Amino acid sequence: ALEATMAAMNEKSATETSEWLYEAVIRFLQGPMYTTPLMGFIDEACVVFDGEEENKFEHTEIHEKFKELVERLLTDFLAEMGISVDQFSEVIQRSKHAELNEFVLASILTVDDFLQFKSMMVRRNVDLTNEVLEAHAKGKARERNARAIAIQESPGRASAGSG
């Protein structure tokens, strides 16, 4: 009876450990300690990825640096938490992909898949370019509105109309 109780306790403890591990890994992958350095790297490096079919040597170099960054971030986290690479892999495989947001999933999957990495970088380059163009257009519109308001409120205009 004692052995059965001990076995049940060990099983419960293993389940609790895996639940805790799962939560910790998911939180880390979705948190700023992981996503901020990656987004910074992607935003800086994506400029080179212009959507051309040709794969340039520079693209491969950037992909290598990206791999190193992801591996360093993950290795540091795993060491800090005392988690083995096997345990980590198990958690990722167990995760419901809905729980891992698209960015996190892409960052992990693109480490080993250059074409997927390139596609992500081209997409980000396009997104950033569009953001810049939108901001520029909004700035121009604000400028025009401010000028129109300034013209309507200018004292010279009021006196010119009454003279």
Side-chain angles (χ1 to χ4, degrees), residues 72-138:
R72 190 182 74 244
L73 291 170
L74 292 176
T75 304
D76 290 353
F77 168 73
L78 296 178
E80 195 177 299
M81 300 299 285
I83 301 170
S84 74
V85 173
D86 290 340
Q87 289 173 309
F88 176 77
S89 298
E90 197 177 297
V91 168
I92 295 302
Q93 289 167 1
R94 255 188 47 212
S95 77
K96 298 158 197 78
H97 290 309
E99 287 183 19
L100 284 176
N101 66 39
E102 197 176 315
F103 171 72
V104 170
L105 209 52
S107 74
I108 293 171
L109 296 175
T110 57
V111 166
D112 291 325
D113 187 339
F114 173 77
L115 292 177
Q116 204 168 7
F117 172 77
K118 182 180 175 188
S119 168
M120 174 182 74
M121 295 299 272
V122 168
R123 223 177 13 256
R124 185 60 185 152
N125 190 2
V126 168
D127 290 348
L128 285 178
T129 302
N130 289 340
E131 285 175 24
V132 168
L133 293 174
E134 283 175 29
H136 183 70
K138 285 180 185 170

Side-chain angles (χ1 to χ4, degrees), residues 26-27 44 70 77 91 156:
I26 299 299
R27 272 207 192 99
E44 254 179 58
V70 169
F77 168 73
V91 168

